[in-house]
Amino acid sequence: MDLTIEVEDYKLNVRAAGIIIHNNKVLTHRNLNSNHYTFIGGRVEIGEDSASTVKREIEEELGKEAEIIEHGGVIENFFEMKGSKYHEILFVHKGEFVNEEDKKIEYTLKNLEGKDYLQYEWLDISQIDEYPLWPLVIKDVIKENKFPVHKIFKDNK
């Protein structure tokens, strides 16, 4: 069971995401029905640690084995989506594919769970400010490349 609960008029979400960087490009995840990118990951399941969540999600979505090479930190993310207010605790981990051939991949990847609306794209870090990457504060994490980190982002639209 995912760690998502409703508290008053908020949804509390506990999520984990992996940051995989190759050749000055970072691997992102995009729902073709939305206008932004995020990092591969998902909701932490009850009894599961956040690093295991990242590895599980990469295996489920891409069929690739990954390892965590650095525990990145935490982003507290406050936003609204589809009429709901969210308070999200996002654990970020720097990861890497285990297989040497997978480490050479630079093309767009497809979702293996049958979710054709999801794809995985490499974004050039030198142009990261040009992309709608959420949460916005993650751009600073990528550019600074310093871990661990603790950021707070409030989307006050």
Side-chain angles (χ1 to χ4, degrees):
M1 173 178 270
D2 293 340
L3 282 175
T4 299
I5 59 171
E6 295 199 24
V7 180
E8 297 177 8
D9 59 341
Y10 276 89
K11 289 184 181 181
L12 174 62
N13 223 10
V14 180
R15 190 171 180 276
I19 297 172
I20 297 175
I21 298 173
H22 291 161
N23 297 327
N24 204 42
K25 293 181 180 175
V26 62
L27 186 60
T28 61
H29 158 242
R30 184 166 74 105
N31 180 330
L32 298 175
N33 299 315
S34 70
N35 63 352
H36 66 275
Y37 297 86
T38 60
F39 287 106
I40 297 175
R43 290 182 180 90
V44 176
E45 294 180 354
I46 194 75
E48 179 180 55
D49 66 81
S50 61
S52 295
T53 299
V54 171
K55 295 192 303 189
R56 173 180 54 78
E57 290 287 346
I58 291 171
E59 175 71 29
E60 289 173 359
E61 294 180 27
L62 297 177
K64 309 288 184 199
E65 184 180 355
E67 62 183 340
I68 302 303
I69 56 175
E70 197 164 13
H71 297 282
V74 177
I75 295 173
E76 296 180 56
N77 191 17
F78 299 85
F79 62 97
E80 284 191 38
M81 184 172 64
K82 297 179 182 175
S84 295
K85 292 194 286 187
Y86 286 82
H87 178 164
E88 181 177 78
I89 308 299
L90 174 61
F91 294 94
V92 291
H93 299 282
K94 200 167 185 183
E96 183 59 80
F97 293 132
V98 172
N99 181 293
E100 289 300 318
E101 289 303 308
D102 292 340
K103 292 179 183 180
K104 298 174 186 174
I105 294 173
E106 291 190 27
Y107 52 84
T108 298
L109 298 160
K110 302 285 184 197
N111 180 279
L112 297 181
E113 298 174 297
K115 298 175 181 173
D116 294 336
Y117 56 89
L118 295 178
Q119 67 182 25
Y120 306 83
E121 301 175 28
W122 296 91
L123 303 183
D124 190 323
I125 293 172
S126 67
Q127 299 172 336
I128 203 77
D129 286 328
E130 297 175 24
Y131 296 99
L133 182 59
W134 293 97
L136 289 175
V137 71
I138 200 81
K139 293 179 183 186
D140 294 333
V141 174
I142 297 300
K143 290 187 290 188
E144 293 166 7
N145 197 26
K146 294 178 186 170
F147 297 95
V149 65
H150 181 184
K151 301 275 187 180
I152 298 174
F153 178 73
K154 293 187 178 188
D155 184 11
N156 297 324
K157 291 181 182 176

Short mmCIF file of all heavy atoms in Angstrom, two decimals, residues 4-13 43 77-89 153-157:
data_model
loop_
_atom_site.label_atom_id
_atom_site.label_comp_id
_atom_site.label_asym_id
_atom_site.label_seq_id
_atom_site.Cartn_x
_atom_site.Cartn_y
_atom_site.Cartn_z
N THR A 4 0.23 7.32 0.94
CA THR A 4 -0.53 8.51 0.58
C THR A 4 -1.75 8.52 1.48
O THR A 4 -2.49 7.53 1.53
CB THR A 4 -0.99 8.46 -0.89
OG1 THR A 4 0.16 8.42 -1.72
CG2 THR A 4 -1.82 9.67 -1.25
N ILE A 5 -1.92 9.61 2.22
CA ILE A 5 -3.08 9.70 3.10
C ILE A 5 -3.72 11.08 2.94
O ILE A 5 -3.05 12.04 2.56
CB ILE A 5 -2.73 9.43 4.58
CG1 ILE A 5 -1.68 10.43 5.08
CG2 ILE A 5 -2.25 8.01 4.79
CD1 ILE A 5 -1.44 10.36 6.57
N GLU A 6 -5.00 11.14 3.23
CA GLU A 6 -5.70 12.42 3.17
C GLU A 6 -5.77 12.99 4.59
O GLU A 6 -6.17 12.29 5.52
CB GLU A 6 -7.08 12.24 2.56
CG GLU A 6 -6.96 11.81 1.11
CD GLU A 6 -8.21 12.04 0.30
OE1 GLU A 6 -9.02 12.91 0.67
OE2 GLU A 6 -8.33 11.35 -0.73
N VAL A 7 -5.33 14.23 4.72
CA VAL A 7 -5.34 14.94 6.00
C VAL A 7 -6.00 16.29 5.76
O VAL A 7 -5.46 17.13 5.03
CB VAL A 7 -3.91 15.13 6.55
CG1 VAL A 7 -3.94 15.86 7.88
CG2 VAL A 7 -3.18 13.81 6.66
N GLU A 8 -7.17 16.46 6.35
CA GLU A 8 -7.96 17.67 6.13
C GLU A 8 -8.14 17.87 4.63
O GLU A 8 -8.60 16.98 3.95
CB GLU A 8 -7.34 18.87 6.85
CG GLU A 8 -7.32 18.68 8.37
CD GLU A 8 -6.63 19.81 9.10
OE1 GLU A 8 -6.29 20.84 8.49
OE2 GLU A 8 -6.46 19.67 10.32
N ASP A 9 -7.74 19.04 4.09
CA ASP A 9 -7.94 19.25 2.65
C ASP A 9 -6.64 19.02 1.85
O ASP A 9 -6.50 19.49 0.73
CB ASP A 9 -8.51 20.64 2.38
CG ASP A 9 -7.63 21.77 2.90
OD1 ASP A 9 -6.77 21.51 3.76
OD2 ASP A 9 -7.79 22.91 2.44
N TYR A 10 -5.70 18.26 2.41
CA TYR A 10 -4.44 17.93 1.75
C TYR A 10 -4.33 16.43 1.51
O TYR A 10 -4.94 15.62 2.22
CB TYR A 10 -3.24 18.32 2.62
CG TYR A 10 -2.82 19.75 2.50
CD1 TYR A 10 -3.38 20.73 3.31
CD2 TYR A 10 -1.85 20.14 1.58
CE1 TYR A 10 -2.99 22.05 3.22
CE2 TYR A 10 -1.45 21.46 1.48
CZ TYR A 10 -2.02 22.41 2.29
OH TYR A 10 -1.63 23.71 2.19
N LYS A 11 -3.51 16.09 0.53
CA LYS A 11 -3.05 14.71 0.35
C LYS A 11 -1.59 14.71 0.75
O LYS A 11 -0.79 15.50 0.23
CB LYS A 11 -3.21 14.26 -1.09
CG LYS A 11 -4.65 14.06 -1.49
CD LYS A 11 -4.76 13.52 -2.90
CE LYS A 11 -6.23 13.37 -3.25
NZ LYS A 11 -6.42 12.82 -4.59
N LEU A 12 -1.24 13.87 1.70
CA LEU A 12 0.16 13.72 2.12
C LEU A 12 0.73 12.55 1.32
O LEU A 12 0.21 11.44 1.37
CB LEU A 12 0.27 13.44 3.61
CG LEU A 12 1.67 13.12 4.14
CD1 LEU A 12 2.61 14.30 3.92
CD2 LEU A 12 1.61 12.73 5.60
N ASN A 13 1.77 12.84 0.58
CA ASN A 13 2.38 11.89 -0.33
C ASN A 13 3.82 11.66 0.10
O ASN A 13 4.56 12.62 0.28
CB ASN A 13 2.40 12.54 -1.71
CG ASN A 13 2.02 11.63 -2.82
OD1 ASN A 13 1.55 10.54 -2.61
ND2 ASN A 13 2.22 12.12 -4.03
N ARG A 43 5.55 6.39 -5.36
CA ARG A 43 5.20 6.44 -3.94
C ARG A 43 5.89 5.31 -3.18
O ARG A 43 5.96 4.18 -3.66
CB ARG A 43 3.69 6.35 -3.79
CG ARG A 43 3.00 7.60 -4.29
CD ARG A 43 1.48 7.51 -4.09
NE ARG A 43 0.85 8.72 -4.57
CZ ARG A 43 0.43 8.91 -5.82
NH1 ARG A 43 0.58 7.95 -6.71
NH2 ARG A 43 -0.14 10.04 -6.16
N ASN A 77 7.67 19.35 -0.79
CA ASN A 77 7.04 19.92 -1.96
C ASN A 77 5.56 20.18 -1.67
O ASN A 77 4.83 19.26 -1.30
CB ASN A 77 7.20 18.92 -3.12
CG ASN A 77 6.83 19.48 -4.46
OD1 ASN A 77 6.75 20.69 -4.65
ND2 ASN A 77 6.61 18.59 -5.41
N PHE A 78 5.14 21.41 -1.84
CA PHE A 78 3.74 21.81 -1.63
C PHE A 78 3.20 22.32 -2.96
O PHE A 78 3.75 23.24 -3.54
CB PHE A 78 3.67 22.93 -0.58
CG PHE A 78 4.20 22.52 0.77
CD1 PHE A 78 5.56 22.61 1.05
CD2 PHE A 78 3.34 22.06 1.75
CE1 PHE A 78 6.05 22.24 2.29
CE2 PHE A 78 3.82 21.70 2.99
CZ PHE A 78 5.17 21.78 3.27
N PHE A 79 2.12 21.71 -3.45
CA PHE A 79 1.58 22.10 -4.74
C PHE A 79 0.11 21.71 -4.86
O PHE A 79 -0.41 20.96 -4.03
CB PHE A 79 2.39 21.48 -5.89
CG PHE A 79 2.37 19.97 -5.90
CD1 PHE A 79 1.49 19.27 -6.71
CD2 PHE A 79 3.26 19.24 -5.11
CE1 PHE A 79 1.47 17.88 -6.73
CE2 PHE A 79 3.25 17.84 -5.13
CZ PHE A 79 2.36 17.17 -5.94
N GLU A 80 -0.52 22.21 -5.92
CA GLU A 80 -1.89 21.83 -6.24
C GLU A 80 -1.89 21.17 -7.61
O GLU A 80 -1.17 21.60 -8.51
CB GLU A 80 -2.81 23.05 -6.26
CG GLU A 80 -3.16 23.54 -4.88
CD GLU A 80 -4.28 24.57 -4.88
OE1 GLU A 80 -5.23 24.43 -5.68
OE2 GLU A 80 -4.18 25.50 -4.07
N MET A 81 -2.71 20.12 -7.74
CA MET A 81 -2.84 19.42 -9.01
C MET A 81 -4.25 18.86 -9.12
O MET A 81 -4.72 18.20 -8.18
CB MET A 81 -1.79 18.29 -9.09
CG MET A 81 -1.78 17.57 -10.42
SD MET A 81 -0.39 16.41 -10.61
CE MET A 81 -0.77 15.21 -9.33
N LYS A 82 -4.88 19.14 -10.23
CA LYS A 82 -6.23 18.64 -10.50
C LYS A 82 -7.19 18.94 -9.34
O LYS A 82 -7.96 18.08 -8.92
CB LYS A 82 -6.21 17.16 -10.81
CG LYS A 82 -5.43 16.81 -12.07
CD LYS A 82 -5.42 15.34 -12.34
CE LYS A 82 -4.58 15.05 -13.58
NZ LYS A 82 -4.43 13.63 -13.83
N GLY A 83 -7.08 20.16 -8.79
CA GLY A 83 -7.98 20.58 -7.73
C GLY A 83 -7.66 20.07 -6.35
O GLY A 83 -8.39 20.34 -5.40
N SER A 84 -6.56 19.33 -6.19
CA SER A 84 -6.17 18.82 -4.87
C SER A 84 -4.89 19.49 -4.41
O SER A 84 -3.99 19.75 -5.21
CB SER A 84 -5.94 17.31 -4.94
OG SER A 84 -7.12 16.62 -5.22
N LYS A 85 -4.81 19.76 -3.10
CA LYS A 85 -3.59 20.30 -2.50
C LYS A 85 -2.74 19.13 -2.01
O LYS A 85 -3.26 18.19 -1.41
CB LYS A 85 -3.92 21.24 -1.33
CG LYS A 85 -4.59 22.52 -1.79
CD LYS A 85 -4.63 23.57 -0.71
CE LYS A 85 -5.65 23.24 0.35
NZ LYS A 85 -5.83 24.33 1.33
N TYR A 86 -1.44 19.20 -2.28
CA TYR A 86 -0.51 18.15 -1.89
C TYR A 86 0.57 18.68 -0.96
O TYR A 86 1.05 19.80 -1.14
CB TYR A 86 0.19 17.54 -3.12
CG TYR A 86 -0.69 16.64 -3.93
CD1 TYR A 86 -1.59 17.16 -4.85
CD2 TYR A 86 -0.64 15.26 -3.76
CE1 TYR A 86 -2.40 16.33 -5.61
CE2 TYR A 86 -1.45 14.42 -4.51
CZ TYR A 86 -2.33 14.97 -5.43
OH TYR A 86 -3.13 14.14 -6.17
N HIS A 87 0.93 17.87 -0.01
CA HIS A 87 2.11 18.06 0.83
C HIS A 87 2.92 16.78 0.58
O HIS A 87 2.53 15.71 1.02
CB HIS A 87 1.71 18.18 2.30
CG HIS A 87 2.87 18.32 3.23
ND1 HIS A 87 2.70 18.75 4.52
CD2 HIS A 87 4.20 18.09 3.09
CE1 HIS A 87 3.88 18.78 5.13
NE2 HIS A 87 4.79 18.38 4.28
N GLU A 88 4.00 16.94 -0.18
CA GLU A 88 4.77 15.77 -0.59
C GLU A 88 6.15 15.79 0.05
O GLU A 88 6.83 16.81 0.06
CB GLU A 88 4.91 15.78 -2.12
CG GLU A 88 5.67 14.61 -2.68
CD GLU A 88 5.69 14.66 -4.19
OE1 GLU A 88 6.49 15.45 -4.75
OE2 GLU A 88 4.90 13.94 -4.82
N ILE A 89 6.53 14.66 0.58
CA ILE A 89 7.89 14.46 1.08
C ILE A 89 8.58 13.62 0.00
O ILE A 89 8.21 12.46 -0.22
CB ILE A 89 7.93 13.72 2.43
CG1 ILE A 89 7.02 14.40 3.46
CG2 ILE A 89 9.36 13.57 2.92
CD1 ILE A 89 7.37 15.82 3.79
N PHE A 153 9.92 23.60 -1.35
CA PHE A 153 9.32 24.29 -2.49
C PHE A 153 7.82 24.45 -2.26
O PHE A 153 7.13 23.48 -2.01
CB PHE A 153 9.56 23.52 -3.80
CG PHE A 153 8.91 24.19 -4.98
CD1 PHE A 153 9.45 25.35 -5.51
CD2 PHE A 153 7.77 23.68 -5.55
CE1 PHE A 153 8.86 25.99 -6.59
CE2 PHE A 153 7.17 24.30 -6.64
CZ PHE A 153 7.71 25.46 -7.16
N LYS A 154 7.37 25.69 -2.33
CA LYS A 154 5.94 25.98 -2.20
C LYS A 154 5.48 26.64 -3.48
O LYS A 154 5.95 27.72 -3.83
CB LYS A 154 5.66 26.87 -1.00
CG LYS A 154 5.93 26.19 0.31
CD LYS A 154 5.50 27.01 1.48
CE LYS A 154 5.77 26.24 2.77
NZ LYS A 154 5.22 26.91 3.93
N ASP A 155 4.59 25.97 -4.20
CA ASP A 155 4.04 26.49 -5.44
C ASP A 155 2.85 27.37 -5.08
O ASP A 155 1.74 26.90 -4.93
CB ASP A 155 3.62 25.34 -6.35
CG ASP A 155 3.13 25.82 -7.70
OD1 ASP A 155 3.32 27.01 -8.01
OD2 ASP A 155 2.58 24.99 -8.45
N ASN A 156 3.10 28.64 -4.90
CA ASN A 156 2.07 29.59 -4.49
C ASN A 156 1.47 30.27 -5.69
O ASN A 156 1.73 31.44 -5.96
CB ASN A 156 2.66 30.63 -3.53
CG ASN A 156 3.17 30.00 -2.26
OD1 ASN A 156 2.58 29.05 -1.77
ND2 ASN A 156 4.28 30.49 -1.75
N LYS A 157 0.66 29.56 -6.41
CA LYS A 157 0.04 30.13 -7.61
C LYS A 157 -1.03 31.11 -7.25
O LYS A 157 -1.72 31.02 -6.31
CB LYS A 157 -0.57 29.00 -8.46
CG LYS A 157 0.50 28.14 -9.07
CD LYS A 157 -0.14 27.07 -9.92
CE LYS A 157 0.93 26.18 -10.51
NZ LYS A 157 0.39 25.10 -11.24
#
